[in-house]
Amino acid sequence: SQQGEEDPQALSIQEGENATMNCSYKTSINNLQWYRQNSGRGLVHLILIRSNEREKHSGRLRVTLDTSKKSSSLLITASRAADTASYFCATRYFGNEKLTFGTGTRLTIIP
Amino acid sequence: KAGVTQTPRYLIKTRGQQVTLSCSPISGHRSVSWYQQTPGQGLQFLFEYFSETQRNKGNFPGRFSGRQFSNSRSEMNVSTLELGDSALYLCASRRSGQGGHDTQYFGPGTRLTVL
């Protein structure tokens, strides 16, 4: 079964706007990761945030983690058409090496 | 450095047949994991191999099996195929497989269609 839920399931915004996606999970984690997937192809790793971190940046990406609420958010600033993809959060438990994926958010950037 | 490669990229089989999918990890990576992706169930973990040993296993029936070779290449096998096995099968590799903080790199996937 999947660990988390992502919200919203789908998001459409104008190019240049910011996009925010949220991920909730159920149990304590070691880290949380975000991935992007284009049209049923392989997943591309975007960013990893450890359980003792609260915020992390990578280029136009900003990820936050709130372990008390068991939630994370991914912010993409100044969106581009090339950002159109599905975005997944994935969690890794302590003592368990597998990744458990959320349900994904389908992001569409309108030129 | 070459990425994770998977072969074949597309496969069509009929019910009852068996199939073997192959994955070559990034050079130096010793951990290989397999995932199944379907529209209904999303991304589901199948199993992980590290140094030729299965370390983790997801909740899939015994028809799904895998192995890893000494060069870290991995194969997964699905026997007695069912229509519900139609999916994108993704392979991922990472360096040490321990500690949990290393990045997992995914291959392009094998699209399996069962008729």
Side-chain angles (χ1 to χ4, degrees):
Chain A
S1 63
Q2 287 166 316
Q3 159 77 311
E5 296 290 327
E6 292 184 58
D7 171 57
Q9 289 188 345
L11 178 63
S12 292
I13 59 173
Q14 296 288 331
E15 192 169 20
E17 293 181 337
N18 296 341
T20 300
M21 290 157 264
N22 303 296
C23 167
S24 61
Y25 56 92
K26 298 175 184 174
T27 58
S28 296
I29 59 171
N30 188 13
N31 62 59
L32 185 145
Q33 305 178 38
W34 286 89
Y35 286 84
R36 184 186 74 228
Q37 184 180 39
N38 292 85
S39 299
R41 297 168 69 178
L43 282 82
V44 175
H45 184 265
L46 297 176
I47 198 163
L48 180 152
I49 186 165
R50 302 187 183 196
S51 60
N52 61 352
E53 297 176 314
R54 292 297 167 258
E55 187 172 314
K56 207 161 182 182
H57 296 254
S58 177
R60 294 183 297 112
L61 306 180
R62 172 177 168 256
V63 168
T64 61
L65 179 65
D66 187 335
T67 53
S68 67
K69 295 181 179 178
K70 293 186 172 57
S71 68
S72 174
S73 68
L74 170 66
L75 168 68
I76 303 174
T77 60
S79 63
R80 305 167 182 170
D83 294 331
T84 293
S86 291
Y87 291 81
F88 295 89
C89 68
T91 52
R92 182 167 283 146
Y93 307 110
F94 286 99
N96 190 324
E97 302 295 335
K98 75 173 187 178
L99 277 178
T100 304
F101 283 85
T103 50
T105 293
R106 175 67 190 168
L107 175 66
T108 302
I109 307 300
I110 304 165
Chain B
K1 186 182 283 190
V4 178
T5 58
Q6 293 185 245
T7 57
R9 293 292 311 280
Y10 302 91
L11 205 49
I12 300 175
K13 292 286 189 178
T14 55
R15 279 182 301 174
Q17 288 187 310
Q18 76 165 17
V19 66
T20 299
L21 311 182
S22 182
C23 172
S24 292
I26 292 171
S27 177
H29 287 192
R30 296 168 62 192
S31 167
V32 174
S33 296
W34 289 88
Y35 295 82
Q36 181 197 64
Q37 186 177 28
T38 60
Q41 297 299 315
L43 279 152
Q44 302 283 330
F45 172 79
L46 280 157
F47 28 65
E48 181 195 16
Y49 287 87
F50 180 73
S51 293
E52 302 179 64
T53 302
Q54 187 180 87
R55 181 161 59 182
N56 265 303
K57 191 176 188 303
N59 296 322
F60 280 82
R63 300 184 297 107
F64 292 81
S65 63
R67 59 178 175 168
Q68 187 180 34
F69 303 96
S70 58
N71 62 358
S72 294
R73 191 176 69 85
S74 177
E75 289 181 346
M76 67 163 282
N77 183 276
V78 188
S79 62
T80 319
L81 285 166
E82 300 177 0
L83 295 178
D85 296 333
S86 294
L88 180 68
Y89 289 88
L90 293 162
C91 166
S93 77
R94 55 197 177 109
R95 185 171 298 280
S96 68
Q98 295 180 3
H101 294 312
D102 49 337
T103 298
Q104 199 160 23
Y105 296 89
F106 281 80
T110 294
R111 174 75 63 186
L112 172 64
T113 302
V114 181
L115 303 176

